[in-house]
Amino acid sequence: MNRQLLLSVLPESAPTLANFVPGPNQPALAAVRALAPGRALYLWGAAGCGRTHLLRALASVPGARYITAGMEARAALPALAQSDAQAAMPTVIAVDDIHLMDDAGQAALFALYNRWRESAATGRAFALAVAGDRAPLAMPLREDLRTRLGWDLVYGLAQLSDADKLEALGRQAAERGLQLSPEVLNWMLTHYDRDMRRLATLLDALDRYSLATRRPINISLLRTMLADPDIHTK
């Protein structure tokens, strides 16, 4: 097999509910799993806490829609909020990074909340999931929109502890049949990155590199791989 082909690192795995590492956020994950048409959910937390992962996972099902703040929101949100009352809506609408929304985006999201509430008890109900970096009362938004963030479910997401991340990495390694020492796992966490999706990508690359070079996985191999110009894990 061509070595370069073997060593080509796949893009980061798509976010799913199955590959989300909940740590202390198990209640929020359970709420996301149970989110049904007619319900709304607001997730908040600092960058890296997993809110985007959860929204993208929610929106990965057929008929769902993921929207980010910015130009996309300016076009998509008004179209959804103002569409014909009889028009089919996405089963799930996930709106991310609302703390970055301008006035027009906030107005459109306010209208979408009203549309969600009006349809909640009908056959045209849809689930609405929204995420931002702060708790509802602390959001820098227009007042009427800020109150709507608390209309239904609200969950704050905590950052994973290093122990949670090490446990998750160890579990992912075991699922691949890899025997990684605690030293290797700790090195990955302290010298490479603390983001779980990037760490999972590194683990994938390390597995491939070990197979290609026929060398056991240890810190020396990990250092060599990261210094290899043919390997792109960043």
Side-chain angles (χ1 to χ4, degrees), residues 13-94:
S13 56
T16 67
L17 298 184
N19 63 24
F20 179 74
V21 180
N25 301 313
Q26 187 63 51
L29 176 59
V32 169
R33 289 187 185 279
L35 191 65
R39 301 303 302 270
L41 172 68
Y42 176 62
L43 300 174
W44 63 274
C49 69
R51 48 186 164 85
T52 293
H53 183 122
L54 288 173
L55 286 198
R56 286 192 174 277
L58 263 177
S60 66
V61 300
R65 182 80 181 271
Y66 174 81
I67 301 168
T68 58
M71 293 300 294
E72 182 185 8
R74 291 177 200 167
L77 288 179
L80 289 168
Q82 299 166 16
S83 60
D84 184 89
Q86 302 304 315
M89 296 287 282
T91 55
V92 179
I93 300 176

Side-chain angles (χ1 to χ4, degrees), residues 68-186:
T68 58
M71 293 300 294
E72 182 185 8
R74 291 177 200 167
L77 288 179
L80 289 168
Q82 299 166 16
S83 60
D84 184 89
Q86 302 304 315
M89 296 287 282
T91 55
V92 179
I93 300 176
V95 186
D96 205 359
D97 290 334
I98 65 168
H99 53 283
L100 301 178
M101 281 186 168
D102 59 14
D103 291 345
Q106 292 179 41
L109 182 56
F110 173 77
L112 183 61
Y113 260 102
N114 291 338
R115 177 72 180 270
W116 162 79
R117 190 168 197 176
E118 291 166 1
S119 66
T122 73
R124 299 183 302 279
F126 59 92
L128 180 59
V130 181
D133 67 348
R134 277 160 271 192
L137 292 179
M139 287 296 292
L141 302 172
R142 48 188 279 179
E143 181 62 28
D144 52 6
L145 175 57
R146 186 162 50 236
T147 61
R148 276 155 177 75
L149 300 180
W151 266 1
D152 203 353
L153 304 170
V154 176
Y155 287 89
L157 298 176
Q159 298 281 4
L160 293 180
S161 68
D162 285 353
D164 291 328
K165 294 174 183 179
L166 288 172
E167 180 183 354
L169 278 175
R171 186 169 67 247
Q172 291 177 21
E175 289 171 354
R176 292 172 175 270
L178 301 178
Q179 298 293 324
L180 296 189
S181 69
E183 290 76 20
V184 170
L185 293 174
N186 275 294

Side-chain angles (χ1 to χ4, degrees), residues 9-10 12 165 169 183-206 222-223 225-227 231-234:
V9 179
L10 293 173
E12 292 180 351
K165 294 174 183 179
L169 278 175
E183 290 76 20
V184 170
L185 293 174
N186 275 294
W187 196 98
M188 292 170 64
L189 187 64
T190 57
H191 291 80
Y192 181 71
D193 206 304
R194 281 182 143 74
D195 181 88
M196 277 307 305
R197 289 185 64 199
R198 294 184 52 109
L199 286 168
T201 299
L202 177 63
L203 187 64
D204 178 69
L206 187 59
L222 183 53
R223 290 178 182 272
M225 184 193 76
L226 291 174
I231 302 298
H232 304 286
T233 58
K234 285 285 188 181

